[in-house]
Amino acid sequence: MEFPQQQKPADGKIIYPPGVKEITDKITNDEVVKRLKMVVKTFMDMDQDSEDEKQQYLPLALHLASEFFLRNPNKDVRLLVACCLADIFRIYAPEAPYTSHDKLKDIFLFITRQLKGLEDTKSPQFNRYFYLLENIAWVKSYNICFELEDCNEIFIQLFKTLFSVINNSHNQKVHMHMLDLMSSIIMEGDGVTQELLDSILINLIPAHKNLNKQAFDLSKVLLKRTVQTIETCIANFFNQVLVLGKSSVSDLSEHVFDLIQELFAIDPPLLLSVMPQLEFKLKSNDGEERLAVVRLLAKLFGAKDSELATQNRPLWQCFLGRFNDIHVPVRLECVKFASHCLMNHPDLAKDLTEFLKVRSHDPEEAIRHDVIVTIITAGKKDLCLVNDQLLGFVRERTLDKRWRVRKEAMMGLAQLHKKYCLHHEAGKDAAQKVSWIKDKLLHIYYQNSIDDKLLVEKIFAQYMVPHNLETEEKMKCLYYLYACLDPNAVKALNEMWKCQNMLRSQVRELLDLHKQPTSEANSAAMFGKLMTIAKNLPDPGKAQDFMKKFNQVLGEDEKLRVQLELLISPTCSCKQADVCVREITRKLANPKQPTNPFLEMVKFLLERIAPVHIDSEAISALVKLLNKSIEGTAEDEEEGVMPDAAIRSGLELLKVLSFTHPTSFHSAETYESLLQCLKMEDEKVAEAAIQIFRNTGHKIETELPQIRSTLIPILHQKAKRGTPHQAKQAVHCIHAIFHNKEVQLAQIFEPLSRSLNADVPEQLITPLVSLGHISMLAPDQFASPMKSIVANFIVKDLLMNDRSVGNKNGKLWCPDEEVSPEVLAKVHAIKLLVRWLLGMRNNQSKSANSTLRLLSAMLVSEGDLTEQKKISKSDMSRLRLAAGGAIMKLSQEPCYHDIITPEQFQLSALVINDECYQVRQIFAQKVHVALVKLQLPLEYMSIFSLCAKDPVKERRAHARQCLLKNISVRREYIKQNPMAHEKLLSLLPEYVVPYMIHLLAHDPDFTKPQDFEQLRDIKECLWFMLEVLMTKNENNSHAFLKKMVDNIKQTKDAQAPDDPKTNEKLYIVCDIALFVIVNKSTTYHLESPKDPVLPTKFFTAPDKDFINDKEYLSLEARTVLLTGKPKPASVLGTVNKPLSVTGKRPYNRTAGSETGSNVSGHSEPSSPSGNKGREQGTDASETGASENEENPVILLSVTPAKTEPVKNKEVNSEQSATGNDSAERGKKRAAPADGSENMHQSPEENQPDEVGAPVPPKPRRGRPPKSQTPGSTEKSSEAKTGGRGRKRAAPTLESPGGLEAANVKVPKQQKDTEAKKTPAQRQMDLQR
C-alpha cells in the first residue's frame, strides 16, 4: 500500500518510539497490532509539556491519520489507532497537528465509529474502548469540530453512537464520560440544530424508551445538565410544530405531546416557553387536537410532584374549562384525569369540585359513570382526598336514570362503607364522615326497579353484613348496624327481609304444587306462581321464560326438588344453605356453555331465598349480644351506640326476625333472655319481647312448660296494668300460643270489666284496649258481656259525659302527651266499639246501626258530642279523627259496609277536608293503607277527590300519589287474578267515578248549582281523580268513563230520588265530568268496551221512560270552566295566569331545562284544556307541617309558591315549581257557603239509641261560621273560614290549579251580604 503524502519534518523521516519498528502494509496484522501497542504506550505516557517529544513524533502522528490506519479492516488496529489519535489530540491541544478540515472530519468520524466497541463490556478490548472515551471526554477533543462547516454531521453521528451503545452493563464512569462529552458539545457550541436535538429527543418517545431504558436515562440527565442552553432550541421546535403547524421540521413532529410529557417529567423549566403554546392549542377548533392536548395536560397536572397548576394558573384555568367542552371524549378525558389529580394533589380538589358537579349531571351516561369512578377511586385510596361535596355527587347518582350509573354509585358507596365503617381502616373520624352511606343504600330499596332492590340485597349481604363472616362476628355487625340506622333505613331493611320471606313462600307453594297430581287447575296455579316469582327477578320478560324452564327441570329432577326444599326449609342453617346453592348450581351448569343466562337467573333466585344471615345459631348469637347490653358488659359505646338504644334496637331487630324466621327462636335460652326483657322498665323493650313470644311461641306450651309458667303471670300483668301497646300484644300473645286461651282471657276480662271507672280516665286506657282486643279475638265468649259494658259504661258513662274542661288555647292539634286523659279514654272507647263489632261480624242485635249513628253524631258535632263546650279544639280534632277512622274501619267488614248509609259515608269522607292539618293527614294515610290492601270498598277511593280542595300542596301531592298507587295495585291485581274479572265492580279503578260524582253532588260546599266558583271547585275535584284515571286509555277506558257518566244522567239520586234540587246537582256534576272527559280525551267517542254497572246504593235503576238529554251547564259556565277569568289577587299577591290558547298549556321554561345535563322532561301529561302539573315524586310520608304545628297553612300562605327540586328516581332532573305556579290545588274561599253550617234534627228523632247514645239536641253540620269568630287571633287560620263539614285554610300563594286558570271575581258587597246570612239548616236522620 502506498502511503499518502504527509506533512513531514525537514529530514522527512518518521520516528517511531524506541523498540518499535516501522509499521507498513508489508507486515502481518498481528505484527501491526504488536507495534501499535507500543506506540499507544508511548503516546499515553506523554504529556503536553514534552515539547521535544511532540516535535519528534509529529510525523508519526500525521502518519497514524493515513488511510492505511483509518480504513484498516482489522478492528484491533483501528482501536489502537483511535487511542493514539485521542492521545495526540490531548498532547497537541489546543492545536491539533492536522490542518486539513477534511482530514479532521475523517478522523473524528473514525473515532466515533470506534466508540461502538463500548457496547460489549465483556470484550477483552473494553478497557481500551473506555480509555478512548475517557480521553476524548476529558480533553473535549470534539470541540475542535466547531471550526468545521459540517461539524453537525460528526456530532449527530457521535450522539447516535453513544445512545445506541449505552446499556445496563455500563458503570457510572461510562455514563459520566458520555455526558461530559455530549454536554460540552451542546453547551460550548453556537446552538443545537434540529437534527441534533432529534437525536436526543428520539430516546424519550415511548417506543424507544421501552427499547433502551439506559438511552432514555442518559438523554434525561443530558437535558437536565444543559437546560439553560437547550431550552431555547426546544421552544423553537415546539413553536414550529404547535403554533406554525410545520410538521416537516422534524421526524418527531407527530410525537410532540409525548415529548412534552417526558420533558416536563425530566425538568419543567425545559418547557418554560412551551406552556403558553399549549393554552393556544386547548382552544383549537379541532376536537381531536383538543383531546390530545387535554390528555397531555392531564398527565402534566396530575403527575405526582407536579406544581404546574400553581405555577401556571392561566393554563390550569384554561384546562378546567375543557370539563365543559362540547366534544364528549374531551369531557371524558377531563373526568378521568380528576382521579389522579385528587390522589396526587388534594389541594386542587376545591377547583375540581365545581366542574365535577356539572359533569355529574352530564347528558352522557359514560361521563356520569366516570365521575363516580373518579371520586370512589380517590376515596378508596384515602378518604381525606374527597370532600363531602364530592361524595354528595355520588349520592345523587344513586338515583340516576341509567342503571349502569346507579349501580356504579351504589357499589362505590358500598366499598367505602366496608373499608371505613366495617373495617375501620382510617379511624372513627373517617367512619363518621361516611356514616350516612348505610342509610342511603338501604333507602334505595324504596325504588320501584327490581334491579335496584336486588343490588341493595347483594350489597347488604357482601358489604354491610358480609355473609362469609363467622356467626358471632356477623351478628355483632348486624346488631350494631341495626342500632345505627335511621327509621327509613330500618323500614327498608325490614321490607327487604319481608320480600325475601314472601319469595321463599312463593317457591315453597310452587314445590307443594309439584307434589299434587297433574291437572289443568294445578298447571294454572303453577303458572301464576311462576309469574309472581319472575316479577321478583331482573328483566321479568326473560325471567318468565327461564322460570318456566326451571319449573320444568324441577318437575323432572327429584333430587333438585329435595335440595330446593331443604334450602327454603325454616330449619335450614346458613351453612346448609351454602351447600344447597352450590349443589343446585352444579346440577344446572353446562360446561359447554361459558355464559349461561338461565343459570344466572336461577342464581338470582337462589340468592334471594337462601338464608345467608339468619338461622338458629344466629338468633342465639343476637340474644347473647342483647344479654350483654342488658348486663352492661357489651361494647355498645365503643360501637357508637348507647346501651339503652342498643337494647331497644336489638329487641326490634329480633321482633322483625320473629316474623320471617320464627322457627329459629325456639330455644329455652332465647326465651329466658326474652323473659328478662319483659321485666325491664323500658316500655318499648317489653312490648317487643311480648310480640316475639306471640310470633314464635307456638310450641312453648307443649315443649317448654317452665317458660310457660313464668310467662303467663307476666302477660296477665301486662294486659291489666301495662301500657296500651303492651296490653294489646299480651292479649294477642295469650290467644296465639296457649290452648286454654278462653280461661286465660276470662281471667283478664272479668276483673277489668268490674274495675272500669270513668272518674279516673288515666287508669282506663289499658283496660279499654285489653277488653277491646279480647272481645275481637273471642267474640263467642265475650260479645254478650261486652254489650252491657258498651251500653252502660262506654256510651252512657264515658262518651256522653264531659267530666273535665279542656285547654282553651285555640290550637287545633297538640302533641300526644298533651292530650287530656279523658279524651284519650274516649278515643280508645271508640276503638273498643269497633273491635267489639269486628269480632261479632254480624248485626243481628242492630248494635252496628247504633254505633254508626253515634259516630255520625260525633262528626256532626265536630267531636263535642255533648255540646257543653267543655272540650278543647285539639281534643275535638282527636275525636273527629277517631270517629272518621272508626266508620272507615267498620266499612272493611262487608256486613257493616252494607248498613252504612250514603249520609254516613259522606260524613266520614269529609274528614279528609277537616280544618286540622294532622286530622287530614292521618285520615288520608289510614284510607290509603286500607285501600292498597284491598280491604276497603272502592267507593272510599273517591274520598281522595276531595283532596283537590286541600290548601296545603304536600297534602294534594300525597293524595295524588295515593291514587296512583291504588290504581296501579288494582290494575295489577286484575291482571294477576283471572277470578277478579267477576268482581270488576269492586276492583276496576274506573268504577270509582260514580261514587265520586255522587259524593261531589252532596258536597256541602255545592249549594248554588250555577255559581261559577262552586262549579270550578267541583271540576277541580273531578279532574284530580280523572287525570290519574285517564293517563292511559286502556281498552278504550275513556269511552267507558263517558258512557258511565251518561248512564248516571239517566238515573236519579237514590239518596233523595224525588228531590229535584238534589237530582239537578247530580246532573250538573255529571255534565262537568263529561265536559272534562270530552276536553281531555280524543278517544271518548269510540265504543265502550262494556256496559257500565252503577251502584244501586247511590243511584236508582234507569227509567226507560226517562230520557235526560238536557244540558245543565250554561254556555257562560262552560266558557268559565274552559278558559277561566281573572280572579282578584290575594293580599299576598297570588297571580293566576290564564291559558293563552284553548286546549294548550303555556310552556314555562324551568331553570332545570336549560342546563344541558341529563334533565328529564317528564312532567304531567298535557291535556287539551290546560292540564296543570301536580307535584310528583313527593314521598307519602312528607307532610309539609309538623305534627304539633298549630297553623301549618299560615306558614304556607307567606311562602312563595315554589317547591324545592324533587329528585326523580330515574333522573337527576330538578322539577322547578315556577312552571307550576298555576297548578296548585284547592285555594279556599273565606266566605261560608249557604246551608252548610248547622243541621237540626226533628224532636222525635232526638232519642237515645239502644246502646244509650242520646243524639244531641242541635247537632251542627260542619264548623262554626266565620261570623262567630271574628278577629280571633288564637285560632288557626284554618278555623277562620266557613264550614262545610270541614274548615278551610287561609288563601295561600298557590293558584287554584286544575282546569281553570282563574276564579270569578266576587263583589265585596256580595261577600258582605253572604257573611251576614244565617246559615241554612239541613235535616239528617241519625236514627236511620
Side-chain angles (χ1 to χ4, degrees):
M1 177 182 246
E2 292 293 329
F3 292 118
Q5 292 297 317
Q6 298 284 347
Q7 297 173 357
K8 298 181 181 179
D11 56 7
K13 185 178 179 181
I14 300 173
I15 299 174
Y16 288 92
V20 180
K21 296 180 181 179
E22 184 181 8
I23 303 172
T24 67
D25 58 351
K26 308 299 182 188
I27 59 178
T28 63
N29 284 334
D30 290 343
E31 186 62 27
V32 171
V33 168
K34 182 179 178 183
R35 296 176 185 181
L36 280 174
K37 285 181 179 178
M38 296 175 71
V39 173
V40 167
K41 179 75 172 64
T42 300
F43 281 125
M44 192 181 296
D45 293 339
M46 286 177 64
D47 55 37
Q48 291 178 321
D49 298 331
S50 308
E51 293 296 331
D52 294 340
E53 288 181 328
K54 286 165 62 176
Q55 191 61 32
Q56 178 184 353
Y57 292 121
L58 181 61
L60 178 60
L62 297 174
H63 176 58
L64 289 172
S66 66
E67 291 296 315
F68 169 74
F69 294 109
L70 295 184
R71 300 192 182 280
N72 197 291
N74 188 290
K75 66 177 184 178
D76 291 336
V77 171
R78 294 196 305 272
L79 171 61
L80 291 168
V81 170
C83 290
C84 290
L85 291 172
D87 274 323
I88 289 167
F89 282 118
R90 174 179 62 81
I91 296 166
Y92 290 89
E95 298 296 329
Y98 315 105
T99 56
S100 168
H101 284 196
D102 290 338
K103 178 54 66 176
L104 279 172
K105 179 179 177 183
D106 288 343
I107 292 172
F108 279 106
L109 288 175
F110 169 75
I111 294 174
T112 300
R113 286 194 295 273
Q114 304 323 303
L115 289 173
K116 289 184 178 179
L118 287 165
E119 191 168 16
D120 185 8
T121 56
K122 295 181 180 178
S123 165
Q125 302 298 330
F126 178 75
N127 287 338
R128 289 198 183 274
Y129 286 116
F130 177 75
Y131 175 77
L132 173 64
L133 172 66
E134 182 182 42
N135 208 342
I136 59 176
W138 184 67
V139 179
K140 299 182 181 179
S141 304
Y142 275 81
N143 289 15
I144 298 172
C145 298
F146 289 135
E147 299 173 6
L148 306 180
E149 290 182 2
D150 47 359
C151 65
N152 201 47
E153 181 185 344
I154 300 170
F155 295 151
I156 292 170
Q157 193 61 45
L158 173 66
F159 278 45
K160 286 183 176 179
T161 300
L162 294 178
F163 284 127
S164 65
V165 300
I166 189 75
N167 57 61
N168 56 9
S169 61
H170 288 140
N171 60 27
Q172 191 62 35
K173 288 183 179 180
V174 175
H175 283 259
M176 183 181 70
H177 291 318
M178 287 183 177
L179 283 171
D180 290 343
L181 181 57
M182 290 188 287
S183 61
S184 68
I185 292 171
I186 293 172
M187 297 172 72
E188 297 180 23
D190 294 334
V192 179
T193 64
Q194 185 60 51
E195 292 79 3
L196 185 59
L197 183 62
D198 285 354
S199 69
I200 303 171
L201 296 182
I202 195 169
N203 299 295
L204 307 183
I205 296 171
H208 288 262
K209 174 182 174 181
N210 296 333
L211 285 174
N212 191 343
K213 179 72 166 57
Q214 285 67 38
F216 167 77
D217 291 337
L218 187 62
S219 300
K220 185 166 76 171
V221 179
L222 176 63
L223 288 166
K224 277 188 176 182
R225 183 180 288 191
T226 61
V227 61
Q228 297 297 328
T229 306
I230 209 168
E231 189 267 332
T232 308
C233 308
I234 291 174
N236 182 57
F237 163 58
F238 286 120
N239 185 58
Q240 293 282 325
V241 178
L242 293 175
V243 180
L244 302 178
K246 296 180 180 179
S247 57
S248 59
V249 298
S250 168
D251 295 336
L252 301 181
S253 298
E254 61 187 44
H255 300 291
V256 284
F257 294 137
D258 291 329
L259 290 173
I260 291 174
Q261 181 188 346
E262 294 298 342
L263 289 170
F264 183 81
I266 292 168
D267 197 357
L270 284 167
L271 299 173
L272 206 57
S273 306
V274 178
M275 289 307 170
Q277 299 168 6
L278 291 178
E279 188 174 338
F280 167 77
K281 277 292 181 184
L282 274 177
K283 298 172 182 176
S284 167
N285 290 328
D286 184 353
E288 291 303 321
E289 194 169 46
R290 292 198 309 277
L291 176 60
V293 181
V294 164
R295 279 181 177 152
L296 167 65
L297 286 176
K299 293 170 183 174
L300 302 190
F301 285 122
K304 179 73 176 172
D305 299 315
S306 170
E307 296 180 359
L308 182 60
T310 53
Q311 292 173 350
N312 197 332
R313 294 299 293 180
L315 182 61
W316 171 242
Q317 292 300 328
C318 188
F319 174 75
L320 290 177
R322 292 306 95 210
F323 273 84
N324 298 329
D325 197 285
I326 194 171
H327 198 44
V328 172
V330 174
R331 301 201 303 273
L332 196 58
E333 196 62 39
C334 288
V335 168
K336 289 178 178 176
F337 145 78
S339 178
H340 301 288
C341 191
L342 285 172
M343 288 188 281
N344 295 335
H345 303 282
D347 53 308
L348 298 178
K350 187 177 180 182
D351 290 343
L352 289 171
T353 300
E354 283 306 310
F355 290 94
L356 285 175
K357 178 180 181 180
V358 177
R359 294 285 61 82
S360 72
H361 295 79
D362 197 281
E364 286 294 322
E365 173 187 342
I367 294 176
R368 301 198 304 277
H369 176 273
D370 278 16
V371 169
I372 295 163
V373 173
T374 291
I375 298 170
I376 294 299
T377 304
K380 285 196 288 187
K381 182 180 179 185
D382 186 348
L383 196 59
C384 297
L385 299 177
V386 291
N387 54 41
D388 291 339
Q389 206 173 350
L390 290 172
L391 290 173
F393 302 156
V394 182
R395 181 179 188 149
E396 284 181 5
R397 291 304 96 216
T398 59
L399 300 177
D400 196 90
K401 63 182 177 182
R402 296 292 182 188
W403 163 239
R404 176 174 170 237
V405 181
R406 296 201 304 276
K407 181 180 179 181
E408 189 64 40
M410 292 161 68
M411 289 300 292
L413 291 177
Q415 289 162 10
L416 292 182
H417 172 80
K418 186 173 184 179
K419 182 179 178 74
Y420 296 113
C421 294
L422 204 59
H423 295 159
H424 298 288
E425 289 190 14
K428 289 187 177 180
D429 290 340
Q432 185 61 35
K433 183 176 179 179
V434 292
S435 61
W436 54 269
I437 290 179
K438 59 185 182 303
D439 297 316
K440 177 59 185 172
L441 289 172
L442 287 171
H443 290 170
I444 297 168
Y445 206 77
Y446 288 110
Q447 298 300 320
N448 291 329
S449 165
I450 188 67
D451 290 316
D452 289 319
K453 294 178 186 289
L454 288 172
L455 185 57
V456 172
E457 292 182 7
K458 181 179 179 180
I459 286 172
F460 181 79
Q462 293 183 4
Y463 296 94
M464 300 176 80
V465 184
H467 63 84
N468 52 3
L469 295 176
E470 290 298 319
T471 303
E472 288 76 11
E473 190 64 29
K474 184 165 57 177
M475 287 304 101
K476 181 180 178 182
C477 185
L478 176 59
Y479 184 79
Y480 289 111
L481 173 73
Y482 201 84
C484 296
L485 293 176
D486 69 27
N488 288 328
V490 168
K491 288 180 184 177
L493 182 53
N494 296 348
E495 182 67 17
M496 185 182 86
W497 282 326
K498 177 183 169 186
C499 290
Q500 292 173 341
N501 194 48
M502 287 174 64
L503 188 58
R504 272 195 290 273
S505 301
Q506 296 289 344
V507 175
R508 191 177 294 115
E509 290 169 14
L510 178 66
L511 288 173
D512 290 341
L513 289 172
H514 274 284
K515 297 175 184 177
Q516 298 176 8
T518 307
S519 66
E520 188 174 335
N522 190 34
S523 300
M526 204 174 281
F527 178 77
K529 293 295 173 195
L530 291 173
M531 294 303 100
T532 305
I533 292 170
K535 282 198 307 181
N536 289 280
L537 298 173
D539 196 350
K542 290 181 181 178
Q544 289 180 7
D545 297 333
F546 288 138
M547 284 302 102
K548 288 176 187 174
K549 182 179 176 181
F550 182 55
N551 189 51
Q552 185 179 349
V553 175
L554 280 177
E556 297 167 355
D557 192 335
E558 186 179 352
K559 290 184 178 177
L560 195 65
R561 287 203 306 274
V562 170
Q563 289 290 345
L564 192 58
E565 281 183 358
L566 178 59
L567 181 65
I568 58 174
S569 164
T571 57
C572 180
S573 70
C574 297
K575 292 177 182 176
Q576 284 177 319
D578 193 38
V579 173
C580 289
V581 169
R582 281 204 304 270
E583 189 64 26
I584 294 171
T585 306
R586 187 185 62 78
K587 282 181 176 288
L588 297 175
N590 184 354
K592 298 177 182 178
Q593 198 172 357
T595 57
N596 189 343
F598 165 63
L599 182 59
E600 290 303 313
M601 193 64 74
V602 174
K603 280 183 180 178
F604 271 119
L605 175 64
L606 297 178
E607 284 173 6
R608 293 204 76 185
I609 63 175
V612 295
H613 285 114
I614 306 301
D615 56 11
S616 298
E617 188 181 350
I619 295 296
S620 297
L622 278 176
V623 171
K624 286 176 184 175
L625 283 167
L626 181 65
N627 288 338
K628 287 183 179 179
S629 292
I630 294 171
E631 294 163 3
T633 59
E635 303 169 357
D636 297 336
E637 294 188 12
E638 291 179 21
E639 297 289 339
V641 183
M642 297 304 293
D644 290 345
I647 296 168
R648 182 175 293 191
S649 63
L651 256 296
E652 284 298 317
L653 172 60
L654 288 169
K655 183 178 80 173
V656 172
L657 294 175
S658 71
F659 285 99
T660 55
H661 301 79
T663 312
S664 302
F665 282 78
H666 194 70
S667 73
E669 183 185 5
T670 299
Y671 288 136
E672 288 287 354
S673 298
L674 291 173
L675 285 173
Q676 294 301 315
C677 295
L678 283 176
K679 299 172 183 176
M680 293 181 66
E681 294 180 3
D682 191 316
E683 297 173 357
K684 292 286 184 183
V685 169
E687 180 191 337
I690 297 172
Q691 198 158 354
I692 295 170
F693 273 111
R694 172 186 170 184
N695 295 337
T696 66
H698 302 290
K699 296 182 180 179
I700 285 179
E701 190 157 32
T702 55
E703 298 181 12
L704 299 168
Q706 187 175 354
I707 299 292
R708 176 189 181 278
S709 60
T710 310
L711 180 61
I712 287 178
I714 296 177
L715 293 178
H716 279 238
Q717 187 267 337
K718 295 295 183 186
K720 294 173 184 175
R721 289 179 293 279
T723 66
H725 289 291
Q726 291 173 356
K728 170 187 173 180
Q729 295 301 336
V731 169
H732 280 270
C733 185
I734 291 170
H735 185 265
I737 68 177
F738 295 126
H739 295 158
N740 62 338
K741 61 189 79 171
E742 293 83 2
V743 177
Q744 301 288 345
L745 293 176
Q747 290 174 1
I748 298 170
F749 183 89
E750 290 170 7
L752 287 182
S753 60
R754 290 196 301 268
S755 64
L756 295 174
N757 183 0
D759 293 326
V760 193
E762 297 86 351
Q763 299 176 10
L764 266 181
I765 314 300
T766 298
L768 290 175
V769 170
S770 293
L771 291 173
H773 284 282
I774 289 171
S775 60
M776 182 173 70
L777 294 172
D780 296 339
Q781 184 179 359
F782 299 105
S784 298
M786 273 302 295
K787 187 171 183 180
S788 62
I789 294 173
V790 167
N792 298 323
F793 178 78
I794 300 297
V795 176
K796 187 175 179 181
D797 206 14
L798 185 57
L799 294 177
M800 297 304 299
N801 277 309
D802 292 335
R803 289 174 166 76
S804 60
V805 177
N807 186 356
K808 299 295 183 179
N809 60 10
K811 289 185 179 181
L812 292 176
W813 192 261
C814 64
D816 292 350
E817 57 271 15
E818 293 180 17
V819 180
S820 68
E822 184 179 0
V823 168
L824 210 53
K826 289 184 177 184
V827 169
H828 282 286
I830 292 171
K831 291 182 178 181
L832 179 145
L833 290 174
V834 173
R835 289 168 185 146
W836 169 54
L837 291 174
L838 291 176
M840 288 194 299
R841 294 191 179 182
N842 66 70
N843 193 32
Q844 295 173 358
S845 62
K846 302 297 181 184
S847 298
N849 299 76
S850 308
T851 302
L852 287 168
R853 287 198 298 274
L854 175 72
L855 296 172
S856 300
M858 183 80 75
L859 289 173
V860 170
S861 61
E862 303 177 21
D864 187 4
L865 195 60
T866 62
E867 294 197 320
Q868 295 175 4
K869 308 293 184 185
K870 289 184 176 181
I871 196 165
S872 70
K873 287 280 186 184
S874 58
D875 288 345
M876 288 166 65
S877 296
R878 296 271 178 176
L879 290 169
R880 290 196 303 276
L881 176 61
I887 295 176
M888 185 265 293
K889 192 77 175 174
L890 288 174
S891 63
Q892 296 178 31
E893 188 61 48
C895 69
Y896 300 134
H897 170 247
D898 294 340
I899 63 171
I900 294 177
T901 65
E903 290 88 349
Q904 290 166 344
F905 165 67
Q906 290 150 18
L907 270 173
S908 64
L910 293 179
V911 176
I912 212 164
N913 278 153
D914 194 87
E915 63 180 332
C916 177
Y917 176 90
Q918 286 81 2
V919 172
R920 302 197 301 273
Q921 176 191 15
I922 297 168
F923 183 75
Q925 186 63 21
K926 285 177 179 289
V927 173
H928 167 63
V929 170
L931 281 169
V932 165
K933 294 178 181 176
L934 300 181
Q935 294 174 342
L936 266 181
L938 182 62
E939 66 200 66
Y940 279 82
M941 194 158 77
S942 67
I943 295 176
F944 282 116
S945 65
L946 296 174
C947 290
K949 300 189 174 194
D950 200 301
V952 182
K953 184 171 64 176
E954 285 78 2
R955 300 292 346 118
R956 299 195 298 276
H958 174 254
R960 190 173 189 280
Q961 291 301 313
C962 291
L963 283 175
L964 286 166
K965 177 70 173 176
N966 275 294
I967 290 171
S968 169
V969 165
R970 288 174 181 274
R971 286 187 173 146
E972 190 63 29
Y973 182 83
I974 292 170
K975 284 180 187 176
Q976 298 296 330
N977 296 274
M979 303 300 291
H981 291 279
E982 300 173 7
K983 302 176 182 177
L984 282 183
L985 185 59
S986 61
L987 288 172
L988 191 67
E990 281 74 12
Y991 271 122
V992 76
V993 171
Y995 300 115
M996 173 176 64
I997 288 175
H998 190 274
L999 179 62
L1000 295 175
H1002 289 270
D1003 189 334
D1005 274 352
F1006 189 29
T1007 56
K1008 296 180 179 179
Q1010 295 304 325
D1011 182 279
F1012 294 155
E1013 193 169 339
Q1014 293 185 16
L1015 293 180
R1016 265 197 305 270
D1017 268 355
I1018 295 295
K1019 179 193 59 184
E1020 275 293 308
C1021 296
L1022 286 167
W1023 180 236
F1024 193 79
M1025 178 75 70
L1026 288 172
E1027 179 193 19
V1028 183
L1029 287 172
M1030 294 172 67
T1031 302
K1032 295 180 181 177
N1033 184 24
E1034 296 181 0
N1035 301 322
N1036 287 343
S1037 61
H1038 293 184
F1040 179 71
L1041 289 172
K1042 182 178 180 300
K1043 186 171 180 62
M1044 192 172 348
V1045 181
D1046 284 333
N1047 287 3
I1048 294 174
K1049 279 191 72 173
Q1050 307 307 315
T1051 67
K1052 293 183 178 179
D1053 191 332
Q1055 193 169 330
D1058 300 325
D1059 184 349
K1061 189 173 180 180
T1062 301
N1063 286 315
E1064 181 192 5
K1065 290 201 291 183
L1066 177 68
Y1067 301 145
I1068 287 174
V1069 177
C1070 287
D1071 272 3
I1072 297 174
L1074 289 170
F1075 174 82
V1076 170
I1077 293 169
V1078 169
N1079 276 283
K1080 297 296 181 183
S1081 171
T1082 57
T1083 58
Y1084 66 87
H1085 57 279
L1086 300 176
E1087 186 177 349
S1088 172
K1090 57 185 71 177
D1091 197 33
V1093 181
L1094 300 178
T1096 55
K1097 189 173 181 178
F1098 295 91
F1099 305 101
T1100 62
D1103 187 350
K1104 294 179 181 178
D1105 301 328
F1106 176 66
I1107 299 177
N1108 185 7
D1109 53 5
K1110 178 181 175 182
E1111 295 282 352
Y1112 289 86
L1113 285 178
S1114 66
L1115 183 60
E1116 186 181 1
R1118 289 175 179 274
T1119 304
V1120 169
L1121 292 178
L1122 185 63
T1123 62
K1125 291 182 181 178
K1127 185 176 181 179
S1130 73
V1131 177
L1132 296 178
T1134 302
V1135 177
N1136 296 318
K1137 299 178 182 178
L1139 299 179
S1140 54
V1141 181
T1142 303
K1144 293 187 178 179
R1145 181 168 76 183
Y1147 175 63
N1148 293 303
R1149 190 179 183 100
T1150 65
S1153 64
E1154 298 173 336
T1155 62
S1157 62
N1158 58 324
V1159 174
S1160 170
H1162 302 316
S1163 61
E1164 299 305 314
S1166 300
S1167 54
S1169 189
N1171 169 17
K1172 303 297 191 293
R1174 290 195 178 86
E1175 304 75 28
Q1176 291 198 36
T1178 306
D1179 191 285
S1181 66
E1182 291 181 2
T1183 65
S1186 70
E1187 185 72 15
N1188 304 330
E1189 191 174 2
E1190 178 182 354
N1191 298 323
V1193 182
I1194 288 179
L1195 283 175
L1196 280 171
S1197 68
V1198 295
T1199 305
K1202 181 176 180 182
T1203 59
E1204 287 294 318
V1206 178
K1207 183 70 66 179
N1208 187 291
K1209 74 183 176 68
E1210 290 186 328
V1211 231
N1212 56 321
S1213 68
E1214 297 164 350
Q1215 300 177 351
S1216 175
T1218 52
N1220 288 338
D1221 278 351
S1222 61
E1224 308 309 325
R1225 304 282 173 181
K1227 184 175 179 181
K1228 299 301 169 253
R1229 301 183 297 282
D1234 284 345
S1236 65
E1237 296 302 328
N1238 301 320
M1239 291 181 54
H1240 284 260
Q1241 285 184 309
S1242 54
E1244 60 272 14
E1245 291 175 338
N1246 193 11
Q1247 300 294 330
D1249 59 26
E1250 65 182 0
V1251 293
V1255 179
K1258 284 184 65 179
R1260 291 192 307 279
R1261 177 71 175 84
R1263 304 284 175 265
K1266 183 178 180 181
S1267 57
Q1268 290 180 333
T1269 57
S1272 173
T1273 58
E1274 296 179 348
K1275 299 187 180 181
S1276 165
S1277 62
E1278 293 176 309
K1280 294 178 182 177
T1281 56
R1284 54 172 298 251
R1286 59 211 162 204
K1287 276 290 178 94
R1288 295 301 168 65
T1292 69
L1293 276 180
E1294 303 161 4
S1295 57
L1299 296 174
E1300 87 286 8
N1303 291 325
V1304 179
K1305 292 181 179 179
V1306 182
K1308 183 177 186 301
Q1309 185 179 359
Q1310 180 184 338
K1311 287 185 179 180
D1312 294 339
T1313 305
E1314 288 183 1
K1316 292 175 183 176
K1317 287 182 182 178
T1318 304
Q1321 306 301 315
R1322 187 173 163 205
Q1323 302 294 328
M1324 172 169 279
D1325 181 8
L1326 292 178
Q1327 300 290 334
R1328 190 162 164 183

